[in-house]
């Protein structure tokens, strides 16, 4: 698992110089949720608020996310992907998928099915397992 995580971190940087694995993950979450508050990101990923704040600031400087007032509560700022952020996330996602397809191209179908089942089982593990 350690090697798997190292490869993921390294590949994120190769696919886009401004996109660390953490940044890629945060952008993906914002896309999936249609935006959210920085405190929601910190809570979801069990990260310190200052860590998320630094990541958010870097993503804002890169023009990948923006803050918008919550239409229901103008005291709250919600983070959203910019058009540039959406395109970069899509580009990195396409690159990652192509790399996965290439890496798994020679695997027999039965191995792919087993591998997918193991990943699903791992991801469905007990709460708190995400921090491993």
């Amino acid at each position: 698992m350690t090697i798997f995580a190292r490869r993921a971190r390294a590949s994120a940087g190769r696919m886009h110089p401004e996109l660390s694995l953490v940044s890629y993950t945060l952008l993906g979450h914002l896309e999936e949720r249609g935006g959210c508050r920085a405190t929601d990101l910190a809570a979801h990923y069990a990260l310190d608020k200052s860590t998320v704040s630094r990541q958010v600031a870097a993503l804002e400087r890169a023009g990948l996310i923006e803050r918008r007032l919550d239409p229901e509560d103008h005291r709250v700022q919600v983070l959203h992907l910019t058009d540039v952020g959406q395109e970069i996330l899509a580009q990195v996602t396409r690159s990652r998928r192509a790399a996965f397809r290439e890496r798994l191209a020679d695997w027999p179908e039965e191995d792919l099915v087993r591998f997918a089942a193991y990943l699903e089982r791992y991801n469905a593990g007990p709460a708190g397992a995400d921090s491993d």
Side-chain angles (χ1 to χ4, degrees), residues 64-108:
L64 304 180
I65 64 171
E66 63 187 2
R67 295 174 191 264
R68 298 183 201 156
L69 290 178
D70 185 326
E72 296 175 15
D73 184 350
H74 292 288
R75 297 170 298 170
V76 175
Q77 291 187 339
V78 179
L79 303 171
H80 291 273
L81 295 179
T82 62
D83 290 343
V84 172
Q86 289 175 347
E87 179 51 39
I88 288 176
L89 181 63
Q91 174 188 8
V92 172
T93 298
R94 285 189 301 270
S95 296
R96 289 176 64 88
R97 287 181 179 159
F100 287 136
R101 278 192 298 276
E102 183 180 322
R103 189 169 188 100
L104 300 172
D106 296 343
W107 286 34

Short mmCIF file of all heavy atoms in Angstrom, two decimals, residues 64-108:
data_model
loop_
_atom_site.label_atom_id
_atom_site.label_comp_id
_atom_site.label_asym_id
_atom_site.label_seq_id
_atom_site.Cartn_x
_atom_site.Cartn_y
_atom_site.Cartn_z
N LEU A 64 -7.54 27.67 -9.97
CA LEU A 64 -8.28 26.42 -10.14
C LEU A 64 -9.59 26.38 -9.35
O LEU A 64 -10.50 25.63 -9.69
CB LEU A 64 -7.40 25.24 -9.74
CG LEU A 64 -6.07 25.13 -10.48
CD1 LEU A 64 -5.28 23.92 -10.01
CD2 LEU A 64 -6.28 25.09 -11.98
N ILE A 65 -9.65 27.18 -8.27
CA ILE A 65 -10.89 27.27 -7.49
C ILE A 65 -11.16 28.73 -7.18
O ILE A 65 -10.28 29.59 -7.29
CB ILE A 65 -10.83 26.46 -6.17
CG1 ILE A 65 -9.76 27.00 -5.23
CG2 ILE A 65 -10.62 24.98 -6.45
CD1 ILE A 65 -9.80 26.37 -3.84
N GLU A 66 -12.42 28.99 -6.81
CA GLU A 66 -12.83 30.33 -6.41
C GLU A 66 -13.81 30.21 -5.26
O GLU A 66 -14.44 29.17 -5.07
CB GLU A 66 -13.47 31.07 -7.58
CG GLU A 66 -14.74 30.43 -8.08
CD GLU A 66 -15.29 31.06 -9.35
OE1 GLU A 66 -14.66 31.99 -9.87
OE2 GLU A 66 -16.35 30.60 -9.82
N ARG A 67 -13.92 31.29 -4.51
CA ARG A 67 -14.88 31.36 -3.41
C ARG A 67 -16.12 32.10 -3.90
O ARG A 67 -16.01 33.11 -4.58
CB ARG A 67 -14.29 32.11 -2.22
CG ARG A 67 -13.11 31.41 -1.59
CD ARG A 67 -12.50 32.30 -0.51
NE ARG A 67 -11.23 31.77 -0.08
CZ ARG A 67 -11.06 31.00 0.97
NH1 ARG A 67 -12.10 30.67 1.72
NH2 ARG A 67 -9.87 30.55 1.29
N ARG A 68 -17.27 31.55 -3.52
CA ARG A 68 -18.54 32.21 -3.82
C ARG A 68 -19.38 32.25 -2.55
O ARG A 68 -19.30 31.32 -1.73
CB ARG A 68 -19.33 31.44 -4.89
CG ARG A 68 -18.64 31.34 -6.21
CD ARG A 68 -19.54 30.62 -7.20
NE ARG A 68 -18.76 30.07 -8.30
CZ ARG A 68 -19.14 29.06 -9.04
NH1 ARG A 68 -20.29 28.45 -8.80
NH2 ARG A 68 -18.38 28.63 -10.03
N LEU A 69 -20.17 33.29 -2.42
CA LEU A 69 -21.06 33.36 -1.27
C LEU A 69 -22.14 32.30 -1.41
O LEU A 69 -22.68 32.08 -2.51
CB LEU A 69 -21.70 34.74 -1.17
CG LEU A 69 -20.78 35.89 -0.78
CD1 LEU A 69 -21.55 37.20 -0.77
CD2 LEU A 69 -20.14 35.63 0.58
N ASP A 70 -22.47 31.66 -0.31
CA ASP A 70 -23.56 30.69 -0.28
C ASP A 70 -24.86 31.47 -0.49
O ASP A 70 -25.13 32.42 0.23
CB ASP A 70 -23.58 29.98 1.08
CG ASP A 70 -24.60 28.87 1.17
OD1 ASP A 70 -25.68 28.98 0.55
OD2 ASP A 70 -24.33 27.89 1.86
N PRO A 71 -25.64 31.08 -1.49
CA PRO A 71 -26.88 31.84 -1.76
C PRO A 71 -27.88 31.81 -0.60
O PRO A 71 -28.69 32.71 -0.46
CB PRO A 71 -27.46 31.16 -3.01
CG PRO A 71 -26.73 29.89 -3.19
CD PRO A 71 -25.45 29.98 -2.41
N GLU A 72 -27.80 30.80 0.25
CA GLU A 72 -28.72 30.69 1.38
C GLU A 72 -28.20 31.36 2.65
O GLU A 72 -28.98 31.69 3.54
CB GLU A 72 -29.03 29.22 1.65
CG GLU A 72 -29.76 28.56 0.48
CD GLU A 72 -29.96 27.07 0.70
OE1 GLU A 72 -29.82 26.60 1.84
OE2 GLU A 72 -30.27 26.40 -0.29
N ASP A 73 -26.87 31.53 2.73
CA ASP A 73 -26.28 32.16 3.92
C ASP A 73 -25.05 32.95 3.46
O ASP A 73 -23.98 32.38 3.27
CB ASP A 73 -25.87 31.08 4.94
CG ASP A 73 -25.33 31.66 6.23
OD1 ASP A 73 -25.08 32.90 6.28
OD2 ASP A 73 -25.15 30.90 7.18
N HIS A 74 -25.23 34.24 3.29
CA HIS A 74 -24.16 35.08 2.75
C HIS A 74 -22.97 35.24 3.69
O HIS A 74 -21.97 35.85 3.31
CB HIS A 74 -24.72 36.46 2.36
CG HIS A 74 -25.65 36.39 1.19
ND1 HIS A 74 -25.22 36.15 -0.07
CD2 HIS A 74 -26.99 36.50 1.12
CE1 HIS A 74 -26.24 36.12 -0.90
NE2 HIS A 74 -27.35 36.32 -0.20
N ARG A 75 -23.03 34.67 4.87
CA ARG A 75 -21.87 34.69 5.76
C ARG A 75 -20.89 33.58 5.41
O ARG A 75 -19.75 33.57 5.84
CB ARG A 75 -22.31 34.50 7.22
CG ARG A 75 -23.20 35.61 7.74
CD ARG A 75 -23.77 35.25 9.08
NE ARG A 75 -24.61 34.05 8.92
CZ ARG A 75 -25.11 33.35 9.92
NH1 ARG A 75 -24.87 33.69 11.15
NH2 ARG A 75 -25.86 32.29 9.68
N VAL A 76 -21.34 32.60 4.59
CA VAL A 76 -20.55 31.41 4.28
C VAL A 76 -19.97 31.52 2.87
O VAL A 76 -20.67 31.89 1.93
CB VAL A 76 -21.45 30.15 4.38
CG1 VAL A 76 -20.69 28.90 3.95
CG2 VAL A 76 -22.00 30.00 5.80
N GLN A 77 -18.69 31.17 2.75
CA GLN A 77 -18.05 31.11 1.44
C GLN A 77 -17.92 29.65 1.02
O GLN A 77 -17.45 28.82 1.81
CB GLN A 77 -16.68 31.76 1.47
CG GLN A 77 -16.75 33.26 1.66
CD GLN A 77 -15.39 33.89 1.52
OE1 GLN A 77 -14.36 33.25 1.66
NE2 GLN A 77 -15.39 35.18 1.24
N VAL A 78 -18.32 29.37 -0.19
CA VAL A 78 -18.27 28.01 -0.73
C VAL A 78 -17.21 27.97 -1.82
O VAL A 78 -17.14 28.88 -2.66
CB VAL A 78 -19.66 27.59 -1.29
CG1 VAL A 78 -19.60 26.19 -1.87
CG2 VAL A 78 -20.71 27.69 -0.20
N LEU A 79 -16.39 26.94 -1.79
CA LEU A 79 -15.35 26.76 -2.79
C LEU A 79 -15.92 26.03 -4.01
O LEU A 79 -16.63 25.04 -3.85
CB LEU A 79 -14.19 25.95 -2.21
CG LEU A 79 -13.56 26.51 -0.94
CD1 LEU A 79 -12.59 25.49 -0.35
CD2 LEU A 79 -12.87 27.82 -1.24
N HIS A 80 -15.59 26.53 -5.19
CA HIS A 80 -16.03 25.92 -6.44
C HIS A 80 -14.87 25.86 -7.40
O HIS A 80 -13.97 26.71 -7.37
CB HIS A 80 -17.14 26.75 -7.09
CG HIS A 80 -18.43 26.74 -6.36
ND1 HIS A 80 -19.39 25.77 -6.55
CD2 HIS A 80 -18.93 27.57 -5.41
CE1 HIS A 80 -20.41 26.01 -5.77
NE2 HIS A 80 -20.16 27.09 -5.05
N LEU A 81 -14.90 24.89 -8.29
CA LEU A 81 -13.91 24.83 -9.36
C LEU A 81 -14.16 25.97 -10.34
O LEU A 81 -15.31 26.29 -10.64
CB LEU A 81 -14.01 23.51 -10.13
CG LEU A 81 -13.69 22.23 -9.38
CD1 LEU A 81 -13.87 21.04 -10.31
CD2 LEU A 81 -12.27 22.25 -8.86
N THR A 82 -13.09 26.55 -10.84
CA THR A 82 -13.21 27.49 -11.95
C THR A 82 -13.27 26.68 -13.24
O THR A 82 -13.07 25.45 -13.22
CB THR A 82 -12.00 28.43 -12.01
OG1 THR A 82 -10.82 27.63 -12.24
CG2 THR A 82 -11.83 29.25 -10.73
N ASP A 83 -13.51 27.34 -14.35
CA ASP A 83 -13.49 26.63 -15.64
C ASP A 83 -12.12 26.00 -15.87
O ASP A 83 -12.02 24.87 -16.34
CB ASP A 83 -13.84 27.58 -16.78
CG ASP A 83 -15.31 28.01 -16.76
OD1 ASP A 83 -16.12 27.34 -16.08
OD2 ASP A 83 -15.63 29.02 -17.42
N VAL A 84 -11.07 26.74 -15.52
CA VAL A 84 -9.70 26.22 -15.67
C VAL A 84 -9.51 25.01 -14.77
O VAL A 84 -8.93 24.00 -15.18
CB VAL A 84 -8.66 27.31 -15.35
CG1 VAL A 84 -7.25 26.74 -15.32
CG2 VAL A 84 -8.74 28.45 -16.36
N GLY A 85 -10.00 25.09 -13.55
CA GLY A 85 -9.90 23.98 -12.61
C GLY A 85 -10.62 22.74 -13.12
O GLY A 85 -10.12 21.62 -13.01
N GLN A 86 -11.80 22.94 -13.69
CA GLN A 86 -12.54 21.80 -14.25
C GLN A 86 -11.78 21.16 -15.40
O GLN A 86 -11.72 19.93 -15.49
CB GLN A 86 -13.93 22.26 -14.73
CG GLN A 86 -14.86 22.60 -13.60
CD GLN A 86 -16.19 23.16 -14.09
OE1 GLN A 86 -16.35 23.53 -15.25
NE2 GLN A 86 -17.14 23.24 -13.18
N GLU A 87 -11.20 21.97 -16.26
CA GLU A 87 -10.46 21.43 -17.41
C GLU A 87 -9.20 20.69 -16.95
O GLU A 87 -8.90 19.60 -17.45
CB GLU A 87 -10.11 22.53 -18.41
CG GLU A 87 -9.32 22.03 -19.60
CD GLU A 87 -9.96 20.82 -20.31
OE1 GLU A 87 -11.19 20.77 -20.45
OE2 GLU A 87 -9.20 19.91 -20.71
N ILE A 88 -8.47 21.26 -16.02
CA ILE A 88 -7.26 20.59 -15.53
C ILE A 88 -7.61 19.29 -14.82
O ILE A 88 -6.95 18.27 -15.02
CB ILE A 88 -6.43 21.54 -14.64
CG1 ILE A 88 -5.77 22.59 -15.53
CG2 ILE A 88 -5.38 20.77 -13.83
CD1 ILE A 88 -5.01 23.65 -14.80
N LEU A 89 -8.65 19.30 -14.00
CA LEU A 89 -9.09 18.08 -13.33
C LEU A 89 -9.46 17.02 -14.36
O LEU A 89 -9.07 15.86 -14.25
CB LEU A 89 -10.26 18.36 -12.39
CG LEU A 89 -10.79 17.15 -11.62
CD1 LEU A 89 -9.72 16.58 -10.69
CD2 LEU A 89 -12.03 17.54 -10.84
N ALA A 90 -10.20 17.41 -15.39
CA ALA A 90 -10.58 16.47 -16.44
C ALA A 90 -9.36 15.94 -17.18
O ALA A 90 -9.27 14.74 -17.47
CB ALA A 90 -11.55 17.14 -17.42
N GLN A 91 -8.40 16.81 -17.45
CA GLN A 91 -7.17 16.42 -18.15
C GLN A 91 -6.38 15.41 -17.32
O GLN A 91 -5.93 14.38 -17.83
CB GLN A 91 -6.33 17.67 -18.42
CG GLN A 91 -4.97 17.41 -19.01
CD GLN A 91 -4.14 18.70 -19.07
OE1 GLN A 91 -4.53 19.74 -18.53
NE2 GLN A 91 -3.00 18.63 -19.69
N VAL A 92 -6.22 15.70 -16.03
CA VAL A 92 -5.47 14.80 -15.16
C VAL A 92 -6.21 13.47 -15.01
O VAL A 92 -5.60 12.40 -15.03
CB VAL A 92 -5.20 15.46 -13.79
CG1 VAL A 92 -4.61 14.46 -12.81
CG2 VAL A 92 -4.28 16.65 -13.95
N THR A 93 -7.52 13.54 -14.91
CA THR A 93 -8.32 12.31 -14.79
C THR A 93 -8.15 11.45 -16.03
O THR A 93 -7.96 10.23 -15.94
CB THR A 93 -9.80 12.65 -14.54
OG1 THR A 93 -9.90 13.37 -13.30
CG2 THR A 93 -10.66 11.39 -14.46
N ARG A 94 -8.21 12.08 -17.21
CA ARG A 94 -8.00 11.33 -18.46
C ARG A 94 -6.61 10.69 -18.48
O ARG A 94 -6.45 9.52 -18.86
CB ARG A 94 -8.18 12.24 -19.68
CG ARG A 94 -9.61 12.58 -20.00
CD ARG A 94 -9.74 13.29 -21.34
NE ARG A 94 -9.01 14.53 -21.42
CZ ARG A 94 -9.49 15.73 -21.10
NH1 ARG A 94 -10.73 15.86 -20.66
NH2 ARG A 94 -8.74 16.81 -21.22
N SER A 95 -5.61 11.44 -18.07
CA SER A 95 -4.23 10.92 -18.06
C SER A 95 -4.08 9.76 -17.09
O SER A 95 -3.43 8.76 -17.40
CB SER A 95 -3.24 12.03 -17.68
OG SER A 95 -3.23 13.04 -18.64
N ARG A 96 -4.68 9.89 -15.91
CA ARG A 96 -4.60 8.81 -14.92
C ARG A 96 -5.29 7.56 -15.43
O ARG A 96 -4.78 6.45 -15.28
CB ARG A 96 -5.23 9.26 -13.59
CG ARG A 96 -4.39 10.29 -12.85
CD ARG A 96 -5.09 10.79 -11.60
NE ARG A 96 -5.26 9.75 -10.62
CZ ARG A 96 -4.37 9.42 -9.70
NH1 ARG A 96 -3.23 10.06 -9.64
NH2 ARG A 96 -4.62 8.47 -8.83
N ARG A 97 -6.46 7.74 -16.04
CA ARG A 97 -7.18 6.57 -16.57
C ARG A 97 -6.39 5.90 -17.69
O ARG A 97 -6.34 4.67 -17.75
CB ARG A 97 -8.57 6.99 -17.06
CG ARG A 97 -9.50 7.28 -15.92
CD ARG A 97 -10.87 7.66 -16.39
NE ARG A 97 -11.73 7.90 -15.24
CZ ARG A 97 -12.83 8.60 -15.29
NH1 ARG A 97 -13.25 9.12 -16.43
NH2 ARG A 97 -13.55 8.78 -14.20
N ALA A 98 -5.77 6.69 -18.53
CA ALA A 98 -4.95 6.11 -19.61
C ALA A 98 -3.77 5.34 -19.02
O ALA A 98 -3.43 4.25 -19.50
CB ALA A 98 -4.46 7.21 -20.55
N ALA A 99 -3.16 5.89 -17.98
CA ALA A 99 -2.04 5.20 -17.33
C ALA A 99 -2.50 3.89 -16.70
O ALA A 99 -1.81 2.87 -16.81
CB ALA A 99 -1.40 6.11 -16.27
N PHE A 100 -3.67 3.90 -16.06
CA PHE A 100 -4.21 2.67 -15.48
C PHE A 100 -4.49 1.64 -16.56
O PHE A 100 -4.17 0.46 -16.42
CB PHE A 100 -5.49 2.93 -14.68
CG PHE A 100 -5.27 3.62 -13.36
CD1 PHE A 100 -6.11 4.66 -12.98
CD2 PHE A 100 -4.26 3.24 -12.49
CE1 PHE A 100 -5.92 5.31 -11.77
CE2 PHE A 100 -4.07 3.87 -11.29
CZ PHE A 100 -4.91 4.91 -10.92
N ARG A 101 -5.14 2.09 -17.66
CA ARG A 101 -5.45 1.16 -18.76
C ARG A 101 -4.17 0.54 -19.32
O ARG A 101 -4.11 -0.66 -19.56
CB ARG A 101 -6.21 1.88 -19.88
CG ARG A 101 -7.68 2.00 -19.62
CD ARG A 101 -8.44 2.45 -20.87
NE ARG A 101 -8.05 3.75 -21.35
CZ ARG A 101 -8.53 4.91 -20.88
NH1 ARG A 101 -9.42 4.90 -19.93
NH2 ARG A 101 -8.12 6.05 -21.38
N GLU A 102 -3.14 1.37 -19.49
CA GLU A 102 -1.87 0.87 -20.02
C GLU A 102 -1.23 -0.13 -19.06
O GLU A 102 -0.76 -1.19 -19.47
CB GLU A 102 -0.92 2.04 -20.25
CG GLU A 102 0.41 1.66 -20.86
CD GLU A 102 1.30 2.87 -21.07
OE1 GLU A 102 0.79 3.94 -21.44
OE2 GLU A 102 2.52 2.74 -20.85
N ARG A 103 -1.24 0.19 -17.79
CA ARG A 103 -0.62 -0.68 -16.80
C ARG A 103 -1.35 -2.02 -16.67
O ARG A 103 -0.74 -3.05 -16.39
CB ARG A 103 -0.57 0.02 -15.46
CG ARG A 103 0.24 -0.70 -14.44
CD ARG A 103 0.47 0.18 -13.22
NE ARG A 103 1.40 -0.45 -12.35
CZ ARG A 103 2.69 -0.17 -12.28
NH1 ARG A 103 3.20 0.76 -13.02
NH2 ARG A 103 3.47 -0.81 -11.45
N LEU A 104 -2.67 -2.01 -16.87
CA LEU A 104 -3.47 -3.22 -16.70
C LEU A 104 -3.78 -3.93 -18.02
O LEU A 104 -4.46 -4.96 -18.03
CB LEU A 104 -4.78 -2.87 -15.99
CG LEU A 104 -4.64 -2.26 -14.59
CD1 LEU A 104 -5.99 -1.79 -14.08
CD2 LEU A 104 -3.99 -3.23 -13.63
N ALA A 105 -3.29 -3.42 -19.12
CA ALA A 105 -3.64 -3.94 -20.45
C ALA A 105 -3.32 -5.43 -20.61
O ALA A 105 -4.06 -6.15 -21.28
CB ALA A 105 -2.92 -3.13 -21.53
N ASP A 106 -2.25 -5.91 -20.01
CA ASP A 106 -1.83 -7.30 -20.18
C ASP A 106 -2.44 -8.25 -19.15
O ASP A 106 -2.17 -9.44 -19.18
CB ASP A 106 -0.30 -7.40 -20.09
CG ASP A 106 0.40 -6.65 -21.21
OD1 ASP A 106 -0.27 -6.33 -22.21
OD2 ASP A 106 1.59 -6.36 -21.08
N TRP A 107 -3.23 -7.72 -18.23
CA TRP A 107 -3.81 -8.56 -17.20
C TRP A 107 -4.96 -9.39 -17.78
O TRP A 107 -5.81 -8.85 -18.50
CB TRP A 107 -4.35 -7.71 -16.06
CG TRP A 107 -3.30 -7.10 -15.17
CD1 TRP A 107 -2.07 -6.65 -15.51
CD2 TRP A 107 -3.43 -6.84 -13.78
NE1 TRP A 107 -1.43 -6.13 -14.43
CE2 TRP A 107 -2.24 -6.24 -13.35
CE3 TRP A 107 -4.44 -7.05 -12.85
CZ2 TRP A 107 -2.03 -5.85 -12.04
CZ3 TRP A 107 -4.23 -6.66 -11.54
CH2 TRP A 107 -3.03 -6.07 -11.13
N PRO A 108 -5.00 -10.65 -17.42
CA PRO A 108 -6.15 -11.47 -17.84
C PRO A 108 -7.44 -10.95 -17.19
O PRO A 108 -7.41 -10.38 -16.10
CB PRO A 108 -5.83 -12.87 -17.31
CG PRO A 108 -4.40 -12.85 -16.91
CD PRO A 108 -4.02 -11.42 -16.67
#
